[in-house]
Amino acid sequence: MDAKTIIAKRIARELHDGDLVNLGIGLPTWVANHIDPAITVHLQSENGLIGLGPSPDPKDADPDLTNAGGQPVTLQAGGMYFDSVTSFGIIRGGHVDVTVLGALEVDAEGSLASWIVPGKRVPGMGGAMDLVVGARKVIVATTHTNQGKPKIKTRCALPLTAYRQVNLIVTELAVLEVREDGLHLLELHPDTTLDTVRALTEAPLHVGTYTMMEG
Amino acid sequence: MDAKTIIAKRIARELHDGDLVNLGIGLPTWVANHIDPAITVHLQSENGLIGLGPSPDPKDADPDLTNAGGQPVTLQAGGMYFDSVTSFGIIRGGHVDVTVLGALEVDAEGSLASWIVPGKRVPGMGGAMDLVVGARKVIVATTHTNQGKPKIKTRCALPLTAYRQVNLIVTELAVLEVREDGLHLLELHPDTTLDTVRALTEAPLHVGTYTMMEG
Amino acid sequence: MKAHKKLDKQTFHAHLFDGMSVMVGGFMTCGTPERLIDWMLESGVKNLTVICNDAGYPEAGVGKLIAAGRVSTLIASHIGLNPIAGSMMGAETLAVTLVPQGTLAEQIRAKGAGLGGILTPTGLHTPAEAGKSRLEVDGKPYILERPIGADIALIKAREADQYGNLNYAKTARNFNPVMATAANLVFVEATCRSQAMDPETVITPHVLVDYILTEVSDGR
Amino acid sequence: MKAHKKLDKQTFHAHLFDGMSVMVGGFMTCGTPERLIDWMLESGVKNLTVICNDAGYPEAGVGKLIAAGRVSTLIASHIGLNPIAGSMMGAETLAVTLVPQGTLAEQIRAKGAGLGGILTPTGLHTPAEAGKSRLEVDGKPYILERPIGADIALIKAREADQYGNLNYAKTARNFNPVMATAANLVFVEATCRSQAMDPETVITPHVLVDYILTEVSDGR
């Protein structure tokens, strides 16, 4: 399995029957492909729907039905539309069970930087700041490193998306939980070693009992 | 004409084509009967509709369609329903052109007391505080006196509904405008005299040019 | 899917406890879930904090709970058509907090939408301002109003589809949709159930709904 | 009835002035009134403050106004898919205020609903907090966010009935309904006009609407 598939499959296991889930643009959207078919997960798109379905055939694309990235999508049975005020009321009000986002950096306090590289890239925060503050569980989906450099820091250097809101970090090498005292190793990928993960993680890791990720 | 009809007819003349209007319970609801048939006035009921129509025949009453007093009403063509948050967003947001309310007391500063007589009657303010603060024009519809005692005061003694929000006071004797410097007589009823109105009004009156109310 | 969402009396009673807070939809009992209120009465639960637009009537709406002495605190915008509530307030057997109707709606919305509060001009210089902070924004004064949530909400819907999406009947909508956003558990009494709803016309998304009682066929 | 509400280009142009603020509905141009934007371009109006979820694309949505140099200030939640906006921001020919999307929605709502502001936890400890007041309510910190209104709003609706009631198409709803509450004048571009709408399904009541352009038949 490639890194993205490892991450997406592992995060899919965090979702429960009936959960309302928001998947960020990019890697997080892959999670949808790995949800246990025995459960029903409701996907929200913050531009205004619950019940996000798969992408349509290009010939069936409806310009009035897009996701938060502006791409054509479909609506599943039982889904519905609403406006941006309602959408973010649902998000900030704690009604979203899980949000999955990418990261530029994530740190030992559970702070996340994902929306700006000053002087280089200023795309804007979009709905990410609300999602990270509002969702009951915040999962960061990220490759462990970027061009060999650790993305999991003691403290984020980039401007934050949110302060101390991340609960779980899932990479292709490890699953880390954010607790009051820092990052705890929950799972290790069988293709790597604890020493490698420690070396590729800037933040200190608490290592007690841990299990192996799916190979 | 009786006092109520004089007041209601006069207030109806303050309404313009296209206005969104909220009429309070009691005397203010009479205004609806005197609106110029050549204009369209949209009546709002704060419990959740625009397009308030006349009361239905008792046999046609729908328990799911009531006004803010809990009485059966009808919906006019072009009307619509909404929830309480939307209703008061419309009210507080300045989208109501005119609100007409009754008064226990109204004063020279344009403050209104209409919802509580401490120790005697505590019905509650309902939507009145929002209406008086939010509507563009606030008209008080009231008999000039209560058991011979002035209702138009220098300062309200009763707990307020709102501070300095009333624009116009219409009684069976006079039409008074609230300005920065106090109450100005705009119109006098032909069946009374200026001296009588002064005597029955606790607040001082500015009297310049005024016209006569319809008899 | 959150359970099957179908409510029976036993399940409902299992979620009730003395001293709990309960939001009840409706406006002068238009849009009030009378059967859920009857079930509360049957349960014997007491010392309730009730959040509702009004006190209903002595024999309808939350008035039934008030008359039975089950309510210790009522947060409402008026109580004028329930003389029992008025006399209990006078006798201090019922604590009544009167809140402007629009403020009540915003406070419940604030809770449901994750806001820490809102600033409103409504109630300045009136008893509604008592005990609250006044803030100036751009030179204008406002009252800071805090969120209001509850342990449970009792909601009256017209139609609930198989997913739990809701719509409402005419002015029976009133406080129901916002209350469905602001309680830990949301119990719905629906006039009818349907297969599915036009996705453009859903008022309350199914994710906000925990249990549904259908008026005619369920539960008893 | 507010005029006849039917919009022609001349009337629209008469309401435009340099330096005005304009809210534009839509989300990555889904639900953006492209024809009203084209009419703005034709008018030559400039030095605009544009409030929109995003910067659109260089050749669509508010991106057309940005690329033509008509916008001096943009208030949006992201500009990532419009590289022209990004480089103008870098070159300081366009002032961009980035606001979290949910905060932007609440700020516009606050204006439309007559609130002095709202308290949100979103953006604490981030650049979104810069220059704003932090308040504590019940021991939790919040950012005080102020209302945002505009001189005009450009709204894209699916259907407008003869009274001016509006509904929207699917996710093209987004910011349109709230913007229709928060501007001095509301201009609507509707895909179609109808006689009347089910009163349960109206999203924007006619009283909020000033002018309506129907896509196919009106105006030109």
Side-chain angles (χ1 to χ4, degrees), chain A residues 46-47 49 62-66 68 81 83-85 88 92 115 122-127 129-130 133 159-161 163, chain D residues 27 30 77-80 89 98-103 106 109 120-122 125-128 169-175 178:
Chain A
E46 67 266 28
N47 56 316
L49 66 81
D62 180 344
D64 289 330
L65 179 46
T66 67
Y81 306 108
D83 77 333
S84 298
V85 171
F88 282 91
R92 210 179 28 235
W115 68 281
V122 191
M125 66 289 280
M129 286 189 181
D130 298 283
V133 164
L160 296 184
T161 303
Y163 175 67
Chain D
F27 192 112
C30 174
S77 79
H78 64 93
I79 62 168
M89 184 183 176
L98 289 168
V99 183
Q101 204 165 106
T103 297
E106 284 294 328
R109 178 181 183 273
T120 180
T122 300
H125 301 273
T126 79
K170 300 177 180 175
T171 58
R173 194 184 304 190
N174 57 66
F175 276 85
V178 72

Side-chain angles (χ1 to χ4, degrees), chain C residues 114-119 144, chain D residues 117-121 135 137 142-145:
Chain C
L115 302 178
I118 56 100
L119 303 184
L144 169 60
Chain D
I118 57 100
L119 303 184
T120 180
L135 266 82
V137 176
Y142 296 94
I143 300 174
L144 169 60
E145 297 282 3

